[in-house]
Amino acid sequence: MEAKMIRRYDIMEVCLLAGKIMLQSGAETYRVEDTMMRIAASYGIKESHSYVTPTGIIFSIETDEPTKTKLIRINERSTDLEKVTLVNGISRKISEGLYSIEEAYSELEELEKSDHSYSFLVQVFAASIASGCFLIMFLGRWDDFIPAFITGGAGYMSVVYLHRFVPIKFFAEFLASFIIGILSFVFVHFGAGQELDKIIIGSVMPLVPGLLITNAVRDLMAGHLVSGLSKGAEAFLTAFAIGTGIAVVFTII
């Protein structure tokens, strides 16, 4: 009986670790819940329940003994869709019976510690290219591609560094958009740029929470109202911070 209970706790640990990695990496709420319940079912737990919010996971299993429930807190969230894909791959292998409980936990633990993101310089370069391309997409001039390239990269770099010194996302995004506005104005003022509005629009696009908005809508459509509304509120605050930073620049100049 004791060995059986230990095994159930081990299954819960595997499910919670998988859910934690997915939620921290930007997965939708319903996908996290579904993956956890599928893993539990693959290990013989016929009845399990999961409740996921952007800041926590509650998971329980129904047995012939009293229900076992565990809660974990999620403090940091980022975007790493490769980790989400890898957890889904591990979940499929568990369903096929290829991983024991110990092997699955070891794989997930190794995945949690790994870093699949691109280097910081690559991310800045990608943000710069995206800013220039967004400027062209919004019918900007090719003459403004370089100003948008530089301003967008500087803005992305600012939001990453500022978030380390000011661990409040709203202020980091506000200050980054303020820097974007100032740099855009400087380029136009000295004749290096032509259309101030297009340069600003292109440069702030890497800061726009596109994935967060998409997940909020998908969670709402799936019936996860708490997660959908909270993610929508977070996306709104980010958009508000970006807009406020640019508005302050226009007020000053």
Side-chain angles (χ1 to χ4, degrees):
M1 182 66 69
E2 185 177 348
K4 195 174 182 181
M5 186 177 297
I6 292 174
R7 183 176 182 276
R8 288 168 180 164
Y9 277 121
D10 290 340
I11 294 171
M12 289 183 68
E13 290 295 333
V14 171
C15 295
L16 285 166
L17 183 55
K20 178 183 177 183
I21 295 171
M22 294 183 72
L23 194 60
Q24 287 180 330
S25 301
E28 308 94 314
T29 298
Y30 72 88
R31 188 186 301 275
V32 176
E33 292 184 348
D34 181 67
T35 300
M36 294 171 67
M37 293 170 68
R38 285 177 183 273
I39 291 174
S42 300
Y43 285 127
I45 304 297
K46 296 180 180 179
E47 195 77 27
S48 63
H49 305 280
S50 60
Y51 180 73
V52 177
T53 70
T55 56
I57 300 175
I58 301 174
F59 186 72
S60 67
I61 56 176
E62 296 283 350
T63 63
D64 46 352
E65 293 124 20
T67 302
K68 308 294 187 296
T69 304
K70 192 168 183 179
L71 163 70
I72 60 172
R73 176 83 173 174
I74 305 297
N75 295 315
E76 295 291 333
R77 296 184 301 278
S78 61
T79 301
D80 191 344
L81 298 184
E82 185 176 358
K83 277 192 174 183
V84 176
T85 303
L86 291 172
V87 172
N88 282 332
I90 293 173
S91 173
R92 292 189 191 96
K93 290 181 179 179
I94 291 173
S95 299
E96 294 169 3
L98 300 178
Y99 281 154
S100 66
I101 299 174
E102 293 76 15
E103 290 171 337
Y105 188 84
S106 177
E107 286 287 326
L108 289 168
E109 197 172 34
E110 185 177 341
L111 177 60
E112 183 186 25
K113 294 176 182 177
S114 64
D115 183 9
H116 292 268
S117 60
Y118 291 101
S119 67
F120 179 63
L121 290 178
V122 172
Q123 292 180 45
V124 172
F125 182 74
S128 301
I129 290 290
S131 299
C133 293
F134 275 119
L135 175 130
I136 301 302
M137 190 180 76
F138 290 122
L139 305 179
R141 299 161 55 109
W142 279 101
D143 297 347
D144 293 332
F145 185 91
I146 297 301
F149 179 93
I150 296 173
T151 305
Y156 185 83
M157 189 182 300
S158 299
V159 77
V160 172
Y161 277 114
L162 288 170
H163 188 60
R164 295 177 183 175
F165 294 106
V166 184
I168 300 176
K169 193 177 178 184
F170 177 87
F171 290 110
E173 290 160 346
F174 166 78
L175 292 172
S177 62
F178 179 80
I179 290 171
I180 287 173
I182 291 294
L183 286 176
S184 301
F185 174 75
V186 169
F187 276 116
V188 173
H189 180 74
F190 288 101
Q194 305 300 321
E195 296 179 296
L196 178 62
D197 55 338
K198 300 292 175 55
I199 296 174
I200 290 176
I201 291 171
S203 300
V204 300
M205 288 305 293
L207 306 183
V208 174
L211 180 64
L212 196 60
I213 294 171
T214 303
N215 285 351
V217 173
R218 293 187 68 177
D219 282 341
L220 287 171
M221 292 175 66
H224 296 276
L225 302 182
V226 174
S227 295
L229 290 174
S230 61
K231 289 178 181 178
E234 186 178 352
F236 171 78
L237 283 175
T238 297
F240 181 73
I242 294 170
T244 304
I246 299 300
V248 170
V249 172
F250 276 103
T251 302
I252 294 173
I253 63 176

